[in-house]
Amino acid sequence: VALDADTKLCVSYLIGPRTAEAAHQFMLDVAQRVKGRTQVTMDGLNVYVDAVEGAFGSRVDYAQLVKIYGQSDEGERRYSPPVCLGTERNTVQGCPDPAHVSTSFVERSNLTMRMSIRRFTRLTNAFSKKLENHWAAVALHFAHYNVVRIHSKLRITPAMAAGVTNRLWSLEELVTQTSN
């Protein structure tokens, strides 16, 4: 998921494995959708290093936020994630603003998606039986997120904040537009 930190607009998303090929495809799509110099923050997955440079060239300020994990004091639990002990910020390219090196917007978006789409709920039996249904559910989620759902801090939709649209869309309009 690629989000604009200021407007919270979902610029792009990709469903697939976290491979070098998928990273290149994703970063090329993001680079085509944004203008000017861009600041990018990724997690520590190294397949993005070449993908970001290949897509943006020299017009990017790129940093990695690498989380350092360890075991909790209570011992390992079956369904509990490991404890995050801290983070490491690494500049990969350009001059990223340290105050904006963050993955929290994407992590919050992932939580919103898990809470909004039943098939993403942890430990559920509501998984997608067909890949096409999975794609459709994610596409509908992000379309709704961008043009219908009012963001609590912005008090408007992300698409309105980004100047993509000047009005709030209804759910009926969204369904009508996406079915055409």
Side-chain angles (χ1 to χ4, degrees):
V1 176
L3 294 176
D4 177 74
D6 296 325
T7 66
K8 311 303 185 253
L9 182 76
C10 174
V11 177
S12 181
Y13 64 91
L14 178 72
I15 299 169
R18 295 188 73 193
T19 62
E21 183 180 333
H24 280 278
Q25 179 185 351
F26 179 59
M27 291 286 62
L28 285 171
D29 186 62
V30 172
Q32 290 174 357
R33 294 171 186 262
V34 297
K35 295 179 181 176
R37 189 164 193 83
T38 303
Q39 178 158 330
V40 174
T41 303
M42 295 286 186
D43 61 12
L45 188 64
N46 284 326
V47 297
Y48 282 102
V49 174
D50 290 336
V52 170
E53 184 177 350
F56 288 95
S58 63
R59 65 180 186 100
V60 68
D61 296 313
Y62 173 29
Q64 285 184 329
L65 185 70
V66 181
K67 291 184 179 177
I68 302 162
Y69 291 102
Q71 284 189 324
S72 70
D73 294 335
E74 301 171 11
E76 193 171 332
R77 292 154 105 193
R78 185 171 180 184
Y79 296 113
S80 298
V83 175
C84 182
L85 302 175
T87 59
E88 192 176 284
R89 295 169 190 236
N90 303 322
T91 296
V92 179
Q93 184 177 339
C95 298
D97 180 356
H100 293 103
V101 174
S102 173
T103 58
S104 61
F105 297 122
V106 171
E107 290 173 7
R108 181 63 178 98
S109 171
N110 290 342
L111 176 61
T112 298
M113 187 168 30
R114 274 201 318 273
M115 300 304 286
S116 301
I117 305 174
R118 176 91 170 107
R119 62 194 74 220
F120 280 106
T121 305
R122 294 185 189 274
L123 305 173
T124 184
N125 63 355
F127 58 91
S128 295
K129 284 121 186 119
K130 294 181 180 178
L131 189 56
E132 294 81 14
N133 293 345
H134 187 72
W135 288 335
V138 174
L140 186 58
H141 167 76
F142 281 117
H144 178 268
Y145 174 88
N146 277 341
V147 299
V148 176
R149 184 179 175 269
I150 295 174
H151 193 279
S152 60
K153 282 200 173 173
L154 298 172
R155 297 200 172 130
I156 55 177
T157 68
M160 291 167 71
V164 175
T165 185
N166 60 1
R167 63 184 180 78
L168 180 66
W169 285 34
S170 70
L171 196 51
E172 182 180 346
E173 285 178 291
L174 175 65
V175 173
T176 304
Q177 290 297 318
T178 57
S179 64
N180 290 338

